[in-house]
Amino acid sequence: MDNKDISTLHASCIRFMPLVTQYNHTFLSLGEWWQKVTLIGKINSHSVTPTLIDDMEVTRRHFKELQANLINNLVKENIRKLELECSARAQVAIDILIRNLFERTADVGFLATDDDIRTFLRESTPTEQQHQAIVDRLHEYTTKYSVYDEILILDTQGRVRANLDETNQVVNSNDPLIRETLETTQPYVETFRRSNLQSGRRAAHIFSAPIRDDEQHGGNLLGVLCLCFRFEDEVNGIFANLVGEDEIIAILDQNNRVISSSNEQILPFGYRVSGSGQSGINFIELEEQNFLSHQNKTKGYQGYNGLNWLGLILRPVQKAFAEKSAATKSDAVQLQRSSIFSKTLQNIAYRAERVVDDLSLVVLNGQIVSAKRNAIEFMPVLEEIRTIGYRTKGVFDESIDDLCNTVVSSLLSDVQFQAFLAVDIMDRNLYERANDVRWWALTSCFREILAQPLRSHQDDATLASVLEYINGLYTVYTNLMLFDSNGTIVAVSNIDENHLIGQTMPDQAVIKKTLAVSDSKHYTVSPFTATPLYNGQHTYLYQTSIRAQHNNKTVGGICVVFDGKPEFLAMLQDSLPRDNNQQILNGAFGLFTDRHGLIIASTKPDLLPGQTLQLESHFFQLENGERDSVILQYNGDQYAVGAAMSKGYREYKTTGDYQNDVLALIFVPV
């Protein structure tokens, strides 16, 4: 916004700032009384030198200038805090969604190459048994990747050959996305609009990819795969974690129309938000209510920006500047001269003290002059002027204290939110890892080849080729490996680690547990420890058994090596607070630890994975999903610290599948 817009915004908002309104009224009352007292002095004290009255008037004007400056800066601080808070939440709303959707782009590309789906499409008239087998496979897929509620397999003519949702009656479709997908040179097509492929939806969110036969069968187009994302379910979960009391959070499409809202009574689906594209805080009127709004474009994730959607937040203007109470008065007073508190306001407090000192000298001089000239009637005027001066100074002190309390409360709220964001991103990311390993274990060629009594070199090459292809799509892993029923590594995706082939998997206790997995639901995760499978660094290994298709006997297993160091670091860096230039606040850092303080990741170079963090124990005792924030001393420096304990995401760590509590900590120097 330009300066004119900012001034208009300040003037419009000031009446909704309770403390600012209160102090402004007090200052006006004191100023009026000061003028009256000075006028009484002029009328009744003819023997007092006029310069004394002039000096008091000069002091009054100095106070008045400071008052105007203070009120203006209080308004600026309130709006600045509001903008930072709203911007953070709108940004998170869209970016968490984009992170999730990025994973979907890999899913659809990989599933479109599934051998079982290809084999099914080659059959011009599949049997009922073949049809049921492919539906069962799709169901198996969504029990892992529960972010989808429908999967459709279509031939090149738009005929639905198989789909998951029994209530979906579509048998043929001429939706343009089918032709677009068949003709695309890209790995996938993303569509969000009405479609007869999901006719019951006001908008279907579909990731589609062409299904091509393998090279052995000519590589011809066989059809189209459509993965239907549970958009409403996902965004409602995001909103539930972000929306505050009376707030509205929404996602806007590229045309500024609402595609999802936390309150559709006020901000309905399809509503076009006026003023979209403007930066900063803006006014918007809905249903005869006034809101302050802020919107953010996605920052994208690994080059993916989705369909150029926006995150939007609305706060009722009447409650946008409500006071917070997270900070104690002692915290606020202690931090008044810290870097988080405006230098301008610190200077106003200092100047107010100087003006009071000047006023005291004026009053003392007046008392001396009045005594010499026997102007006894002027003494009460001087005392009242002194009292007004001290009362005015008291209001200055109180207003600045209250603002400092608001700043500290806002900071504590922010670091708590950022800690929650970090651990939520982690839970969501690792949910995908648990899904990946279980689904890949069902790859037909893995099950067939590992079930053979003897494998040829060609068999091993096939296994390695498939692993390499998968790893090319899912780049958060440094290596994918298969091992036989003895725990011996037989194939890897990373050719630089071919030396591992023939070696026994480390941590035989975990491997024994992995090989004991007897269904497609369960999996194992290694402790967070240094492993030779990750160049001696700390990470998690996700593993599960691979079972023969004909008798379900365990014939080996799959292990995926999560690239923990850069991935966890990126999650923390994305969660750290930033300034107006989107730079991480100087001195801020973040960590992931377990309940014992074992460091999983850290943005602070001297706090390394595998070390133990020495910190107040109450953080490590938080309940799952619980958050906290405090001001504390760490290594001689003072920080606002936000903490949040993991609670899982969807089925991950919420259904007894896996227990591993992670604490996220955000430190901001104060």
Side-chain angles (χ1 to χ4, degrees):
M1 293 187 293
D2 59 28
N3 290 334
K4 182 179 179 181
D5 291 332
I6 293 172
S7 299
T8 302
L9 182 64
H10 287 191
S12 302
C13 289
I14 189 170
R15 61 194 176 99
F16 299 109
M17 299 177 184
L19 287 178
V20 176
T21 302
Q22 174 188 326
Y23 293 130
N24 196 34
H25 177 74
T26 303
F27 281 138
L28 289 173
S29 297
L30 286 171
E32 289 174 359
W33 182 235
W34 192 328
Q35 284 183 309
K36 291 177 181 177
V37 170
T38 303
L39 181 60
I40 291 171
K42 287 181 178 179
I43 294 172
N44 296 299
S45 303
H46 301 291
S47 56
V48 176
T49 173
T51 57
L52 183 59
I53 300 293
D54 292 341
D55 288 343
M56 288 190 294
E57 181 60 21
V58 168
T59 305
R60 186 189 68 80
R61 285 200 301 269
H62 286 167
F63 258 133
K64 189 174 180 180
E65 290 170 5
L66 280 178
Q67 290 165 16
N69 201 357
L70 174 64
I71 293 299
N72 185 49
N73 278 278
L74 289 176
V75 173
K76 285 182 179 179
E77 287 289 324
N78 274 274
I79 291 178
R80 184 185 68 85
K81 292 198 310 300
L82 178 70
E83 182 165 1
L84 288 174
E85 290 172 9
C86 289
S87 178
R89 278 162 172 73
Q91 192 71 61
V92 167
I94 187 61
D95 284 346
I96 281 187
L97 178 60
I98 290 298
R99 277 177 171 269
N100 190 311
L101 298 181
F102 169 76
E103 298 279 355
R104 314 291 62 93
T105 65
D107 290 349
V108 71
F110 177 61
L111 191 58
T113 64
D114 185 80
D115 284 338
D116 292 35
I117 293 177
R118 286 168 165 170
T119 300
F120 173 74
L121 279 177
R122 288 191 203 112
E123 297 288 339
S124 57
T125 55
T127 65
E128 181 60 33
Q129 184 179 8
Q130 289 173 320
H131 181 270
Q132 189 58 49
I134 205 68
V135 171
D136 289 345
R137 185 157 178 78
L138 298 182
H139 178 73
E140 188 77 67
Y141 188 83
T142 55
T143 59
K144 280 105 180 120
Y145 299 92
S146 59
V147 294
Y148 303 111
D149 59 4
E150 171 70 307
I151 302 176
L152 301 104
I153 299 171
L154 302 97
D155 64 20
T156 55
Q157 303 304 310
R159 291 187 292 263
V160 177
R161 298 287 299 275
N163 72 298
L164 186 63
D165 183 2
E166 295 179 355
T167 67
N168 189 355
Q169 300 302 309
V170 62
V171 294
N172 209 320
S173 177
N174 59 358
D175 190 307
L177 78 82
I178 297 171
R179 180 54 48 194
E180 182 182 358
T181 304
L182 290 169
E183 295 176 351
T184 186
T185 58
Q186 301 302 313
Y188 67 92
V189 172
E190 182 180 357
T191 306
F192 186 89
R193 53 170 169 72
R194 288 191 68 87
S195 169
N196 74 329
L197 291 169
Q198 275 193 305
S199 58
R201 301 295 175 85
R202 57 190 183 183
H205 195 181
I206 301 173
F207 289 81
S208 55
I211 303 172
R212 295 182 180 276
D213 216 336
D214 55 32
E215 292 182 4
Q216 182 180 346
H217 292 85
N220 297 319
L221 281 168
L222 295 173
V224 171
L225 174 73
C226 294
L227 295 183
C228 301
F229 182 65
R230 298 172 66 186
F231 175 77
E232 286 295 337
D233 178 72
E234 180 61 26
V235 292
N236 285 340
I238 293 172
F239 294 160
N241 284 328
L242 295 179
V243 70
E245 186 178 0
D246 298 311
E247 284 182 345
I248 300 174
I249 297 181
I251 303 297
L252 309 181
D253 68 11
Q254 66 273 27
N255 298 314
N256 303 325
R257 295 192 182 278
V258 175
I259 56 176
S260 189
S261 165
S262 64
N263 186 335
E264 293 206 358
Q265 290 184 322
I266 295 177
L267 190 62
F269 178 87
Y271 180 87
R272 192 176 190 282
V273 177
S274 61
S276 267
Q278 297 179 10
S279 61
I281 295 289
N282 294 285
F283 269 102
I284 183 171
E285 184 176 339
L286 295 167
E287 296 292 317
E288 298 183 349
Q289 295 184 56
N290 290 317
F291 293 88
L292 292 173
S293 70
H294 197 288
Q295 64 183 47
N296 293 66
K297 297 179 180 179
T298 180
K299 292 186 288 188
Y301 184 65
Q302 297 194 16
Y304 170 76
N305 290 296
L307 298 175
N308 297 314
W309 293 343
L310 303 168
L312 174 74
I313 186 169
L314 303 178
R315 283 189 180 177
V317 66
Q318 294 89 342
K319 299 182 179 180
F321 303 99
E323 299 174 52
K324 296 183 179 180
S325 57
T328 65
K329 203 73 172 178
S330 60
D331 283 337
V333 172
Q334 186 180 6
L335 297 175
Q336 272 199 21
R337 301 196 181 279
S338 76
S339 60
I340 67 167
F341 199 55
S342 165
K343 295 295 183 185
T344 301
L345 288 167
Q346 290 180 20
N347 186 50
I348 289 173
Y350 172 79
R351 288 173 60 197
E353 290 179 6
R354 301 287 73 78
V355 173
V356 167
D357 290 344
D358 292 343
L359 180 62
S360 296
L361 288 175
V362 170
V363 170
L364 179 60
N365 183 49
Q367 289 173 332
I368 293 170
V369 171
S370 298
K372 286 181 177 179
R373 300 191 177 187
N374 199 28
I376 299 173
E377 73 282 357
F378 197 65
M379 290 296 190
V381 172
L382 292 169
E383 285 301 321
E384 188 61 23
I385 292 292
R386 190 206 302 270
T387 299
I388 293 172
Y390 281 123
R391 286 178 61 193
T392 304
K393 173 60 168 57
V395 177
F396 270 96
D397 291 342
E398 185 181 352
S399 62
I400 292 173
D401 285 350
D402 281 335
L403 178 64
C404 190
N405 184 62
T406 302
V407 170
V408 174
S409 296
S410 180
L411 175 61
L412 289 173
S413 175
D414 289 346
V415 293
Q416 188 180 117
F417 173 73
Q418 286 145 355
F420 154 74
L421 172 61
V423 82
D424 185 56
I425 290 174
M426 185 191 211
D427 277 342
R428 288 167 172 271
N429 188 296
L430 298 185
Y431 157 85
E432 305 285 352
R433 313 298 60 97
N435 295 340
D436 291 345
V437 73
R438 290 180 297 160
W439 177 248
W440 297 338
L442 298 176
T443 302
S444 294
C445 78
F446 294 168
R447 304 174 75 179
E448 293 168 3
I449 292 175
L450 289 177
Q452 297 173 6
L454 294 173
R455 299 186 317 277
S456 67
H457 290 302
Q458 182 58 46
D459 289 334
D460 287 346
T462 298
L463 296 177
S465 176
V466 175
L467 288 175
E468 185 179 356
Y469 173 72
I470 297 172
N471 207 167
L473 289 173
Y474 296 82
T475 57
V476 296
Y477 304 105
T478 59
N479 205 359
L480 314 179
M481 55 194 70
L482 299 175
F483 52 91
D484 63 20
S485 57
N486 296 314
T488 302
I489 299 171
V490 300
V492 298
S493 65
N494 186 343
I495 59 174
D496 293 333
E497 297 190 10
N498 277 345
H499 62 275
L500 294 173
I501 297 174
Q503 295 184 20
T504 301
M505 289 287 292
D507 198 340
Q508 282 298 296
V510 174
I511 295 304
K512 184 177 180 181
K513 186 178 178 183
T514 300
L515 291 171
V517 172
S518 59
D519 57 34
S520 64
K521 177 182 178 181
H522 293 92
Y523 60 97
T524 65
V525 186
S526 71
F528 184 77
T529 187
T531 172
L533 302 181
Y534 191 54
N535 294 324
Q537 299 179 95
H538 286 70
T539 194
Y540 292 115
L541 308 177
Y542 284 74
Q543 299 151 124
T544 194
S545 64
I546 294 176
R547 299 174 312 285
Q549 288 181 307
H550 61 285
N551 62 7
N552 209 42
K553 178 183 176 181
T554 297
V555 293
I558 181 170
C559 171
V560 301
V561 183
F562 182 61
D563 197 3
K565 185 175 180 180
E567 292 296 325
F568 288 143
L569 184 64
M571 294 176 201
L572 288 170
Q573 288 176 332
D574 285 350
S575 305
L576 288 174
R578 296 173 183 268
D579 61 22
N580 290 332
N581 297 317
Q582 292 304 304
Q583 299 300 308
I584 294 172
L585 293 182
N586 188 37
F589 65 95
L591 303 98
F592 291 128
T593 78
D594 67 11
R595 283 195 179 272
H596 305 289
L598 176 72
I599 296 174
I600 297 169
S602 166
T603 63
K604 202 170 191 297
D606 58 341
L607 295 175
L608 302 175
Q611 295 179 348
T612 299
L613 179 68
Q614 302 300 321
L615 195 66
E616 294 180 8
S617 62
H618 86 275
F619 286 123
F620 306 109
Q621 296 165 5
L622 293 175
E623 297 292 329
N624 293 114
E626 188 178 0
R627 314 177 199 177
D628 192 18
S629 55
V630 296
I631 303 291
L632 55 73
Q633 292 278 334
Y634 176 75
N635 284 352
D637 295 316
Q638 193 160 236
Y639 292 90
V641 180
M645 189 64 73
S646 62
K647 65 175 183 177
Y649 169 68
R650 291 188 178 272
E651 303 81 24
Y652 178 68
K653 296 201 296 188
T654 63
T655 57
D657 59 327
Y658 171 50
Q659 181 68 37
N660 180 37
D661 296 337
V662 174
L663 177 70
L665 294 160
I666 300 293
F667 287 69
V668 175
V670 293

